[in-house]
Amino acid sequence: MMDYSQYERVFGTMSPFPYNRPVALSIERSRGSLEGSLFIDRVLKALNLAQVASNYPPRSENGLRQLHQLICDTNNINLHHKLSILYYLLLDIDGRSSSEGDSKAETFAAHAGIPNRYQIFMRGLWLMDTRNFELALEHLTHPSLISDFADDIITVLVRHSKDGDYTLPLAYYHTVQPSLKSSTALQSLFDAIARTSLLEAFEFSRSHADFMHRQLFQRLIFVVLDSKNGDETAERAFELTSLPFNTDEEQWFREYLESGEGKRLKAAKDTLIMRRIATGHGAITGDKGKWATVLEGVKTGTGGRAQA
């Protein structure tokens, strides 16, 4: 096994130095874009290496030497973690270098004997940090990995989804099946599910214990009715009010829209009427005129134009 404490053995010669000013600024932009922390920052924080994180990216070769020394001198992490951090830096250098030749990262991994699953995981995190999310998931969903940083991965993928396409966060969740720990990650995931499949979100809410079931169920109502697209809101409100609520859900639905936070939603009154019609407690369910009036109210957000 190579002596990783020797800077030249790890990094070799680099000309020009890869962390120039534009590269450093790009890394800082990525840091801001990823909820204020890169995934390498999260790794270092988890390992209690805040000083190492504060020195990344290095601004000069001397800065890189100091970063290397800090990693090597750390006594509170195991060898594989040290090697993995160095491997990440080499992935970074390979990815930002204009020179041709063998990969420094792959050469180092082979000589240092870094286990394959550590390589897969760190490459996946590096790809997340460079915002190459689709390729990142090819690594982070590998069956050899455990779901470290799943909350952060879900949150970042949802917030970077474009044009209502939540394919990546949902693919990650369904493949890895992580147990999410933070309410922020759970809500981000649930919003992505709700905007993709109302029925799946409804069933997802039911898979949780009572308190969280209620929170997610009422969040579903909000996601459906908060859309700025009137036609889409009307269509999804119709789907929502046609779902087979149980007794608790029926009560939560009414409370949220009659006296809870949902009361402020423009389509709240019309949605309540739609539910009464759907369950046969308002006008006759097949009354097309009544449905048309209520649906128009939902589309325009006028609220309660039809009386049940």
Side-chain angles (χ1 to χ4, degrees):
M1 178 175 148
M2 72 179 297
D3 183 359
Y4 69 90
S5 67
Q6 298 298 311
Y7 175 87
E8 287 76 13
R9 294 290 303 278
V10 176
F11 295 99
T13 57
M14 290 177 290
S15 182
F17 182 66
Y19 291 104
N20 55 35
R21 180 173 172 77
V23 167
L25 290 174
S26 173
I27 291 171
E28 292 298 348
R29 282 195 297 272
S30 290
R31 182 173 270 142
S33 174
L34 300 175
E35 316 301 313
S37 292
L38 296 166
F39 280 89
I40 188 60
D41 296 334
R42 294 172 167 96
V43 170
L44 295 171
K45 181 180 178 181
L47 295 173
N48 295 314
L49 297 177
Q51 188 177 4
V52 176
S54 66
N55 283 275
Y56 177 81
R59 308 296 171 146
S60 64
E61 184 161 2
N62 186 52
L64 181 59
R65 285 180 178 273
Q66 292 176 350
L67 190 58
H68 169 257
Q69 194 65 46
L70 282 171
I71 295 166
C72 293
D73 289 347
T74 299
N75 295 319
N76 61 339
I77 62 173
N78 67 39
L79 176 61
H80 285 155
H81 288 151
K82 288 185 180 183
L83 296 176
S84 295
I85 296 166
L86 293 173
Y87 177 70
Y88 177 99
L89 293 174
L90 291 168
L91 285 172
D92 215 19
I93 290 168
D94 284 342
R96 302 179 191 282
S97 175
S98 58
S99 61
E100 299 292 333
D102 294 339
S103 163
K104 289 179 179 292
E106 297 311 311
T107 300
F108 175 73
H111 290 167
I114 302 176
N116 193 48
R117 62 189 179 91
Y118 283 81
Q119 296 179 50
I120 293 169
F121 184 57
M122 296 308 291
R123 185 179 287 276
L125 295 186
W126 179 76
L127 288 164
M128 289 290 292
D129 284 343
T130 56
R131 292 178 284 182
N132 193 339
F133 300 124
E134 188 169 355
L135 190 54
L137 289 200
E138 292 183 17
H139 295 76
L140 295 174
T141 57
H142 193 277
S144 69
L145 303 183
I146 59 176
S147 55
D148 285 332
F149 305 106
D151 290 57
D152 298 315
I153 292 168
I154 288 283
T155 302
V156 165
L157 291 175
V158 170
R159 293 183 181 176
H160 282 265
S161 295
K162 297 179 180 179
D163 302 321
D165 182 1
Y166 297 98
T167 300
L168 293 182
L170 295 182
Y172 174 78
Y173 175 75
H174 289 303
T175 303
V176 177
Q177 289 289 299
S179 177
L180 301 181
K181 300 177 180 66
S182 74
S183 58
T184 299
L186 180 59
Q187 181 172 303
S188 294
L189 172 66
F190 185 74
D191 286 1
I193 296 172
R195 292 184 174 119
T196 303
S197 169
L198 199 153
L199 180 58
E200 184 180 347
F202 178 61
E203 295 297 338
F204 184 87
S205 73
R206 285 182 158 185
S207 69
H208 290 73
D210 286 350
F211 175 77
M212 188 53 65
H213 178 190
R214 177 174 182 164
Q215 295 293 312
L216 293 176
F217 177 77
Q218 293 185 333
R219 180 70 186 177
L220 176 60
I221 302 169
F222 174 81
V223 170
V224 169
L225 299 185
D226 192 49
S227 172
K228 293 179 174 60
N229 185 325
D231 289 334
E232 178 185 302
T233 300
E235 180 180 340
R236 284 167 58 79
F238 176 82
E239 184 180 355
L240 172 67
T241 55
S242 300
L243 290 171
F245 299 166
N246 62 29
T247 302
D248 287 336
E249 290 162 344
E250 199 72 59
Q251 180 179 343
W252 300 338
F253 180 83
R254 291 197 309 271
E255 288 177 354
Y256 182 70
L257 293 177
E258 289 176 350
S259 57
E261 293 183 7
K263 183 179 180 180
R264 296 175 296 167
L265 296 167
K266 290 182 178 180
K269 291 182 179 179
D270 283 310
T271 304
L272 285 163
I273 294 168
M274 289 174 71
R275 180 61 183 174
R276 289 201 291 271
I277 295 172
T279 56
H281 294 98
I284 299 172
T285 305
D287 187 339
K288 294 181 180 178
K290 173 69 82 172
W291 272 118
T293 303
V294 176
L295 286 171
E296 185 61 30
V298 173
K299 289 180 186 179
T300 60
T302 54
R305 301 192 316 160
Q307 299 298 316

